[in-house]
Amino acid sequence: MIISVASGKGGTGKTTVAVALAKSISYCQFIDYDVEAPNADLFLKPDIKHINNITIKQPYFLTGLGKSFKACSDFCHYNAVAAIDNKVIFFSELCHGCGGCILVGPEGSVRERDIKIGEIRKGFCPPGINFLMGDLQPGSMRTTAIQNELEKNIDHDNHVIIDCPPGNSCSMVMAVRSSDFCILVTEPTPFGLNDLIISIDVLKNLKIPFGVIVNRFGIGNDEVFKYCRSNNIKILLKIPNDIEIAKYYSQGLSLIDFDSLWKNKFVCIIDEIEKEVSVK
Amino acid sequence: MKVCISSTGTTLDSNVDPRFGRCAFFIIYNTDSDTFEYYENESRNTMGGAGIQAAQKALENKVDAVISGSIGPNAFKVFQSSQIKIYTGVSGSIRSAIAQLKNNELTQTAAPNVQSHYGMGR
């Protein structure tokens, strides 16, 4: 069973919840899909054993033969190629690596090479968490290319916990799309509710069942609860707004380390989700 | 000399558009004959690289100078590949911009004066 942990609003506690889930069941695969800012490793402290470079193909242009590369420039949907007279100015960060410029450009004058855009790292956290994370290189915008590599490494025979990137755009869709169930973490504030509603819309479109965990319970107002009640959305758990929990977090410790009572709560949530998923 | 000016409209009374890549129109003014033509900026609605495309088109029109409110780093890089003169921070009507250019009242810009995506309102 694959459980993703997502949130429209950033900083609501996705990693807190995902790490607590993984530590509660002890044996699972954990994947940090937030490749632009991965941080679950700070809490799970995996022993990284393998690092794979992720590359994409990018063109380079053999200028100097007096040939025009205007066809490449005209073709490129992302305006990554500017061709002026016989010169080419290539904007690497705009290139999506489609290879079109090689096909339409002067024969043999546009070649391809591998450009590193980031890494995926594999490790282990005792007693039984297989850890996987993606890390996009600063400056690269190819978030989903790294996530594609993570997706290929999903262990479908085990429980999998996916820590998603914040927001509701492509990178979030990539992270949740393989999951059997998505836990949406929110906070009881107007901002939290606004982004929760957007996330719910995305999940409904993807036909992924979901439940809500409210973090920092005690702040804000009760609109999130009212919304969930009137829309028949299950609230799986409330985590109180507690300075002691924050202190543990700041030291790289999880909810489970804070109080082992949380472990039972998360095990129960997983049982509950498993029942719901198996019915469908 | 041929000058490319980012413009909010199609006449000399239009204003210099504060954005280069995502301006509404470009006016190509010939200072020798005091004539001009204009074209719509088709790049303004592209997802990315509007400045690159617009700069390339301006260079294809064989202009010697470009005048705009602001030019971002990518368009700037394209312009720097040729020896054309770049003037940014210009506002007011196209007519007054031309007058300033003729009176040598404009200062050439050596570096982009806004960040990427400036013209997208970010």
Side-chain angles (χ1 to χ4, degrees), chain A:
Chain A
M1 182 173 65
I2 304 172
I3 299 174
S4 54
V5 182
S7 164
K9 183 184 176 300
T12 55
K14 285 178 297 298
T15 304
T16 299
V17 167
V19 166
L21 278 170
K23 284 201 158 192
S24 299
I25 52 177
S26 303
Y27 294 87
C28 63
Q29 184 189 36
F30 184 99
I31 313 179
D32 193 343
Y33 255 78
D34 186 7
V35 305
E36 291 175 19
N39 70 341
D41 54 319
L42 299 176
F43 300 93
L44 288 170
K45 304 173 183 70
D47 178 11
I48 299 292
K49 295 206 172 72
H50 299 282
I51 297 177
N52 297 341
N53 287 336
I54 307 302
T55 60
I56 52 161
K57 300 277 185 204
Q58 284 213 329
Y60 64 101
F61 301 84
L62 301 175
T63 51
L65 297 168
K67 286 179 183 157
S68 166
F69 292 87
K70 184 146 191 332
C72 306
S73 163
D74 289 345
F75 181 84
C76 185
H77 185 65
Y78 299 99
N79 297 316
V81 187
I84 294 119
D85 302 326
N86 300 328
K87 278 173 283 189
V88 170
I89 303 155
F90 178 60
F91 294 89
S92 169
E93 69 279 8
L94 296 180
C95 175
H96 282 56
C98 73
C101 53
I102 297 162
L103 299 175
V104 302
E107 207 178 336
S109 295
V110 189
R111 309 249 172 104
E112 243 177 357
R113 64 180 157 204
D114 288 328
I115 302 285
K116 183 180 172 185
I117 55 160
E119 296 177 347
I120 65 171
R121 306 190 191 116
K122 290 177 189 173
F124 186 73
C125 330
I129 302 173
N130 282 313
F131 180 87
L132 178 63
M133 69 181 282
D135 195 357
L136 182 72
Q137 205 157 277
S140 176
M141 310 221 278
R142 301 299 308 278
T143 308
T144 53
I146 304 276
Q147 292 180 323
N148 259 321
E149 285 302 311
L150 294 175
E151 199 171 80
K152 287 179 198 161
N153 284 276
I154 292 178
D155 176 5
H156 290 270
D157 300 326
N158 255 314
H159 279 322
V160 181
I161 307 291
I162 289 177
D163 189 11
C164 300
N168 299 297
S169 59
C170 303
S171 61
M172 175 271 196
V173 172
M174 279 290 293
V176 300
R177 72 176 183 184
S178 309
S179 57
D180 301 301
F181 190 93
C182 180
I183 295 175
L184 290 172
V185 186
T186 190
E187 57 177 38
T189 62
F191 194 174
L193 176 60
N194 180 74
D195 289 3
L196 173 68
I197 293 171
I198 302 170
S199 303
I200 288 172
D201 201 23
V202 172
L203 293 173
K204 281 186 173 165
N205 270 290
L206 294 170
K207 298 187 172 59
I208 296 170
F210 59 90
V212 169
I213 289 184
V214 178
N215 190 14
R216 275 188 221 113
F217 175 55
I219 65 166
N221 56 35
D222 58 358
E223 292 299 317
V224 165
F225 300 100
K226 279 188 193 162
Y227 177 84
C228 289
R229 205 177 308 130
S230 59
N231 288 279
N232 226 351
I233 292 161
K234 187 174 277 180
I235 292 184
L236 301 163
L237 184 70
K238 295 173 203 164
I239 304 171
N241 184 46
D242 184 339
I243 187 82
E244 293 305 318
I245 294 177
K247 280 183 190 166
Y248 267 74
Y249 178 89
S250 69
Q251 292 161 31
L253 295 168
S254 79
L255 267 179
I256 312 295
D257 303 313
F258 169 67
D259 187 337
S260 56
L261 277 176
W262 287 102
K263 184 170 177 162
N264 297 333
K265 294 184 183 179
F266 282 103
V267 168
C268 288
I269 288 172
I270 292 196
D271 285 347
E272 209 175 318
I273 292 173
E274 206 158 19
K275 271 181 211 140
E276 183 174 339
V277 168
S278 63
V279 169
K280 286 185 176 160

